[in-house]
Amino acid sequence: VTSDVIEVSDIALNAEVQTVTLKLAKAIPEGRYTVSVTFSGSLNDKMAGFYRSGYKDVESGQRRYMAVTQFEPTDARRAFPCFDEPAQKAVFEVTLVAPAKLQCISNMPFANERALDNGKKIVSFKPSPIMSTYLLAFVVGEFDFVEDTTAEGVCIRVYTLRNQSHQGTFALDVALKTLSFYTKFFEIEYPLPKLDMIAVPDFSAGAMENWGCVTYRETALLLDPEHSSAAAKSRVAEVVAHELAHQWFGNLVTMEWWTDLWLNEGFATWCADLAVDTLFPDWQTWVQFVGGTLSAALRLDALRSSHPIEVQVNAAQEVNEIFDHISYYKGASVIRMLANYLTVETFRKGLVSYLNKFKYQNAVTEDLWAALEKESGKPIAAMMRSWTQQTGYPLLKLASAGGTLEASQKRFLSDGKVSDAESGAKWIIPVGYYTAEEPDEKTYALMESDSLTLGDTASSAAWLKLNEGQSGVFRVCYTSDMYLKLMEPIRSCALKVEDRLGLLMDAMALARAGEMPASTAMDVLAAFDREEDYTCISKVIASLAEIKAVFGKDKNIKTGLDRFACKLLSHAADVVGWDAKPSDKHVTSLMRTAVLSALQSHGDAATLETARTRFAKFREDPKSLAADLRVPVYFAVMSTGGEKEFDALVSLHDNSDLNEEKVRCIRALGEAPTPELLEKYLAWGTEHVKAQDLLYVVACSGSNPHGEQITWDFLKDNWNSWIEKYGSGNFLLTRFIESATASFYTESRAQEVEEFFKTVSKTGVERKLAQCLEAIRVRAAWIERDREAVAAWLASA
């Protein structure tokens, strides 16, 4: 150790790889040195690094700003020079100089604060635990807050803009209970003395798990008791639980490199549902996991352009692209499959061992498998490598042979075309099933080869359901005779909810891939005409919407599908009605919104008329329209309206202080019924919608029947300015591509997209672009193959 100052002779910046090299005036011996760097930076508007977020103050109506950080994955380097990689952990001591009237927040509590003579103050914070750069945070602004203390003594605060602290009470309650739940579940205390959760008006992602200083989009943290919907309540609970799970998975134990991002995000997604299910047992969280998380994972991972859970990341520019449904949703789905296979308690004990061994350190996927192998005594690593180290998942096809029932596996692809090179992919699959004769007796087997012979009872059963509880990450194709036998237990609900749901999910995917006749998939869909479960109805609605989007340019198909949809959903509509009852459960409120929204989208005359009547009353009496009815009512009014209705919704947007309501209006305006109004919508959105919410504008325009060309032109006209505005690789750019091409269904459209992106920068969006192109071609093949079959089925329905 020496106090000598070593001169730096040159500083070389490599912008492409985002590094700085310090060249020294003389050679130095190996040892420990302190590097002191004087630097300056800008408070940018890109929602990355250290940036400013603007908002209108509720009390004064004036434009105000806060300064906030967003460093994950690789943007701490925007704020200060650092070794900005997850394995390069350090202890951080933060000092901020800020205007005296503003509040300063960081990961740790205050150490001291003193006033300066120039109207500013200097605030120092206590040293952090050793942690990665991406978890550091500091926020400066004007806030109100609500606070409470957990049973373990941790102070939790929810910070909001001034005069909005009442909107943080639900999130605070969820956080208090969730932090205590995780403390018990992981058998490790939350290691910081406080936890702050901060609502940020401009935020690119949903939330960020900065240790002890978690930041959120307003819609992911705040609820208004009068104006927030049941869906908003679900989202706040899930996002808070997700970010708090990261305080252990990600913050306490961090992945070694971004290849193992799923260790953070997959686990936080699974843990969040575990916590929410514990806090709100009547929300049917695990059923919704199947219809949402698992379904989205299977959809993306059926594309050749998907990627393994453990994905090679070679450069900083590649990292943003893997914050996707594979790292989050497939990761969580594989965890759920493994936890159910081992039992959740055995799995939990393995997690406790893993967290204790690697706390305040970094880990890789193999470290987790080792801990679970030791706890369970089973060969976990060999089994799970087949799920995390290769792209895709299997399709199990059932066939009768000589009085026995046999399942064989092959890779499932959205286009149904498995090449010789792809046919070698194999998985070790935990398979569960039950039969009509013994619905409560679950049989389990481990499929370790190309095929598996099921038990004697399987072949003789009146019906059989494979992948019990939809806990496995695979699809199932039954024989035509078996499908016929499954229709009745779908209608009678003899099959449990997850299994009815799984049959519909698989049928739609198999039809899309050409693995099943379209008529069979439509038969499965029609069997849900007496369904009363929210998640099943949501998947019915999504299936109808997809069929309409793909085949609905044929007017006869559109007319037939709208008629079929209104008939199919009529029972569910009768169950929920328009008005809430005191006995309604949370999921009933969710289903009411979903069913009424679907009926208006399919042109149900009675629904549209009631919606228009209720909107007229709402304009006179703002308290007359429940929050759960606003989406279907707003959508119905706009889709059948004109300039007057457009202006009314713009006024609602402009005069609301609740971002949830603003987003409702943005989405509803996207239902504009003419090309002229849709053009006006895009112009209005560009000028008046916050940068973080422009994705809703592009998504709604892209899904509008008039929006195919208009939205694509909008993307082409704005692409270069978006790159400048958001920065290369920002996840919003990938969403824009996905939304603007969602209605494309021909090879010529795919080629048009390819040609455009040859002329512009696509750094950081290459993977999403490939996925969108593949999806266009899958839709094109589906239309070519099944248009006549769908039309014939609807004509006879």
Side-chain angles (χ1 to χ4, degrees):
V1 179
T2 175
S3 59
D4 292 347
V5 175
I6 301 167
E7 184 180 346
V8 175
S9 61
D10 187 34
I11 300 175
L13 171 68
N14 187 325
E16 183 177 349
V17 296
Q18 301 178 10
T19 60
V20 168
T21 301
L22 306 180
K23 296 183 179 180
L24 307 184
K26 63 179 182 179
I28 58 172
E30 181 180 336
R32 293 176 63 86
Y33 295 86
T34 298
V35 179
S36 298
V37 181
T38 300
F39 64 94
S40 61
S42 63
L43 194 62
N44 70 72
D45 291 315
K46 296 182 183 295
M47 295 184 284
F50 191 29
Y51 71 94
R52 70 173 189 169
S53 173
Y55 60 94
K56 185 176 77 172
D57 182 66
V58 173
E59 201 167 54
S60 67
Q62 294 179 338
R63 186 73 173 167
R64 299 282 176 83
Y65 294 94
M66 69 171 69
V68 61
T69 56
Q70 170 59 37
F71 289 161
E72 190 181 30
T74 56
D75 286 313
R77 64 193 70 174
R78 287 181 184 265
F80 61 96
C82 56
F83 294 99
D84 195 16
E85 296 183 356
Q88 302 297 326
K89 292 193 171 188
V91 172
F92 293 91
E93 295 184 43
V94 174
T95 299
L96 298 174
V97 178
K101 67 176 183 178
L102 301 182
Q103 293 153 276
C104 298
I105 310 166
S106 187
N107 305 78
M108 298 299 290
F110 298 123
N112 56 70
E113 177 181 323
R114 62 184 175 86
L116 301 176
D117 295 336
N118 57 0
K120 296 183 178 180
K121 62 182 177 182
I122 183 166
V123 181
S124 298
F125 297 88
K126 293 180 179 179
S128 74
I130 189 167
M131 66 184 192
S132 304
T133 48
Y134 77 86
L135 295 170
L136 183 64
F138 31 92
V139 183
V140 181
E142 296 178 275
F143 303 100
D144 284 342
F145 63 83
V146 288
E147 68 175 351
D148 206 339
T149 304
T150 68
E152 296 78 22
V154 178
C155 178
I156 300 180
R157 286 182 175 178
V158 176
Y159 283 89
T160 72
L161 300 180
R162 296 280 187 172
N163 303 304
Q164 294 182 14
S165 61
H166 65 287
Q167 295 179 13
T169 54
F170 176 72
L172 177 62
D173 183 61
V174 170
L176 288 165
K177 294 172 181 175
T178 301
L179 206 68
S180 293
F181 170 77
Y182 288 149
T183 299
K184 295 181 179 72
F185 188 80
F186 296 130
E187 298 182 26
I188 299 173
E189 289 189 0
Y190 172 73
L192 274 65
K194 61 92 174 175
L195 173 68
D196 294 328
M197 305 197 301
I198 306 165
V200 180
D202 298 293
F203 201 81
S204 179
M208 177 59 213
E209 66 267 20
N210 315 299
W211 216 353
C213 185
V214 186
T215 45
Y216 297 80
R217 270 190 183 224
E218 291 178 322
T219 52
L221 187 67
L222 306 182
L223 286 179
D224 186 292
E226 286 188 29
H227 301 291
S228 288
S229 65
K233 194 173 186 180
S234 290
R235 174 165 166 74
V236 169
E238 189 277 327
V239 177
V240 168
H242 181 105
E243 302 310 319
L244 268 53
H246 274 310
Q247 307 302 301
W248 285 264
F249 267 96
N251 300 9
L252 184 65
V253 179
T254 312
M255 75 260 150
E256 182 77 21
W257 177 241
W258 300 106
T259 291
D260 290 302
L261 173 66
W262 85 282
L263 287 176
N264 284 19
E265 300 302 349
F267 269 92
T269 302
W270 178 79
C271 286
D273 279 7
L274 186 73
V276 171
D277 184 60
T278 303
L279 267 60
F280 306 102
D282 65 337
W283 283 17
Q284 300 179 359
T285 301
W286 287 118
V287 177
Q288 292 182 57
F289 181 100
V290 172
T293 301
L294 175 61
S295 179
L298 293 174
R299 179 142 197 160
L300 175 56
D301 208 33
L303 298 175
R304 284 185 178 83
S305 47
S306 181
H307 62 82
I309 288 176
E310 295 181 71
V311 57
Q312 188 62 40
V313 176
N314 299 307
Q317 295 92 327
E318 299 175 9
V319 178
N320 271 305
E321 280 204 278
I322 65 166
F323 282 79
D324 63 4
H325 287 347
I326 302 302
S327 297
Y328 284 71
Y329 291 175
K330 187 183 180 186
S333 299
V334 165
I335 290 163
R336 174 175 172 263
M337 177 175 69
L338 180 57
N340 290 348
Y341 173 63
L342 296 178
T343 75
V344 173
E345 179 57 19
T346 299
F347 186 70
R348 185 193 71 82
K349 289 177 179 178
L351 296 185
V352 170
S353 173
Y354 164 82
L355 288 169
N356 274 302
K357 183 174 181 178
F358 294 99
K359 59 186 177 184
Y360 301 108
Q361 301 175 62
N362 297 82
V364 297
T365 298
E366 292 295 320
D367 296 323
L368 176 64
W369 299 155
L372 292 170
E373 279 195 352
K374 185 175 180 180
E375 185 61 42
S376 68
K378 295 182 178 180
I380 300 302
M383 170 183 163
M384 296 310 296
R385 286 182 194 126
S386 71
W387 294 97
T388 64
Q389 293 183 359
Q390 62 181 345
T391 304
Y393 58 88
L395 168 66
L396 270 58
K397 297 194 79 166
L398 292 175
S400 296
T404 63
L405 195 61
E406 188 171 275
S408 61
Q409 66 161 299
K410 69 170 185 175
R411 183 176 174 184
F412 179 77
L413 285 167
S414 284
D415 64 3
K417 299 173 183 176
V418 180
S419 68
D420 290 342
E422 293 162 334
S423 64
K426 293 292 179 286
W427 290 262
I428 299 175
I429 311 168
V431 179
Y433 63 91
Y434 63 100
T435 65
E437 288 73 20
E438 296 180 299
D440 296 324
E441 289 295 321
K442 311 300 187 293
T443 302
Y444 293 95
L446 196 63
M447 188 173 183
E448 300 181 78
S449 62
D450 291 354
S451 62
L452 175 70
T453 300
L454 304 181
D456 293 339
T457 56
S459 59
S460 60
W463 53 258
L464 171 140
K465 173 60 178 66
L466 203 66
N467 197 7
E468 181 271 328
Q470 292 303 116
S471 64
V473 185
F474 56 88
R475 297 200 187 277
V476 179
C477 184
Y478 299 88
T479 66
S480 56
D481 183 56
M482 294 176 78
Y483 274 115
L484 285 173
K485 292 178 179 179
L486 283 164
M487 299 302 172
E488 192 282 326
I490 292 175
R491 277 200 170 89
S492 67
C493 298
L495 288 163
K496 67 180 185 178
V497 175
E498 294 93 333
D499 292 313
R500 302 198 301 276
L501 188 57
L503 283 167
L504 178 56
M505 287 161 48
D506 286 356
M508 286 296 298
L510 290 166
R512 190 187 309 118
E515 296 274 5
M516 170 191 283
S519 58
T520 303
M522 297 299 289
D523 287 341
V524 173
L525 184 56
F528 286 82
D529 59 348
R530 305 298 294 173
E531 184 60 61
E532 297 183 5
D533 175 78
Y534 160 65
T535 310
C536 283
I537 286 294
S538 292
K539 191 55 63 177
V540 167
I541 291 168
S543 300
L544 292 166
E546 181 179 13
I547 295 166
K548 187 173 182 176
V550 173
F551 297 97
K553 290 180 175 66
D554 181 315
K555 291 184 179 180
N556 290 332
I557 289 180
K558 179 184 179 299
T559 300
L561 185 73
D562 283 341
R563 182 177 61 248
F564 168 62
C566 293
K567 180 181 176 182
L568 183 60
L569 295 172
S570 61
H571 177 72
D574 290 341
V575 169
V576 295
W578 274 89
D579 297 307
K581 308 174 190 67
S583 60
D584 280 355
K585 294 181 178 180
H586 179 75
V587 289
T588 308
S589 298
L590 293 173
M591 190 161 101
R592 180 175 294 110
T593 302
V595 170
L596 294 176
S597 297
L599 285 171
Q600 69 80 28
S601 75
H602 289 289
D604 181 70
T607 304
L608 291 169
E609 183 58 34
T610 302
R612 286 191 289 262
T613 300
R614 293 197 175 220
F615 187 74
K617 183 178 180 182
F618 169 66
R619 296 294 283 160
E620 297 175 0
D621 177 11
K623 293 185 177 181
S624 66
L625 190 62
D628 290 318
L629 295 178
R630 293 188 186 182
V631 164
V633 167
Y634 291 2
F635 277 44
V637 165
M638 188 67 259
S639 66
T640 59
E643 292 277 357
K644 177 184 174 184
E645 288 74 16
F646 188 95
D647 293 343
L649 286 167
V650 166
S651 177
L652 285 172
H653 171 276
D654 293 347
N655 292 314
S656 177
D657 296 321
L658 182 68
N659 208 49
E660 178 191 341
E661 176 73 356
K662 286 182 178 292
V663 170
R664 272 196 289 258
C665 294
I666 292 168
R667 291 173 58 212
L669 285 161
E671 295 291 301
T674 65
E676 294 76 19
L677 266 182
L678 197 61
E679 294 272 15
K680 180 178 179 179
Y681 170 61
L682 289 172
W684 171 81
T686 301
E687 184 175 353
H688 297 287
V689 170
K690 292 194 293 186
Q692 67 164 17
D693 292 330
L694 188 63
L695 74 144
Y696 297 113
V697 175
V698 181
C700 294
S701 176
S703 62
N704 187 298
H706 302 289
E708 181 181 334
Q709 187 61 45
I710 291 171
T711 311
W712 176 236
D713 289 341
F714 183 68
L715 178 141
K716 290 189 293 183
D717 291 343
N718 288 279
W719 183 255
N720 290 330
S721 63
W722 287 343
I723 290 176
E724 177 63 28
K725 184 175 188 175
Y726 297 106
S728 293
N730 188 295
F731 97 99
L732 290 171
L733 297 176
T734 66
R735 294 286 291 275
F736 293 152
I737 297 173
E738 192 170 33
S739 298
T741 62
S743 296
F744 288 4
Y745 66 101
T746 63
E747 175 59 30
S748 61
R749 278 298 201 186
Q751 292 176 8
E752 187 179 347
V753 174
E754 286 176 323
E755 289 304 312
F756 171 73
F757 278 100
K758 287 178 182 177
T759 67
V760 296
S761 172
K762 51 182 180 289
T763 301
V765 301
E766 295 95 335
R767 192 188 302 274
K768 176 55 70 177
L769 177 59
Q771 291 166 355
C772 290
L773 288 166
E774 187 177 351
I776 293 169
R777 290 177 167 122
V778 167
R779 290 193 291 270
W782 190 15
I783 290 173
E784 181 68 24
R785 184 180 58 247
D786 284 338
R787 180 194 283 116
E788 291 183 6
V790 170
W793 192 95
L794 288 170
S796 63

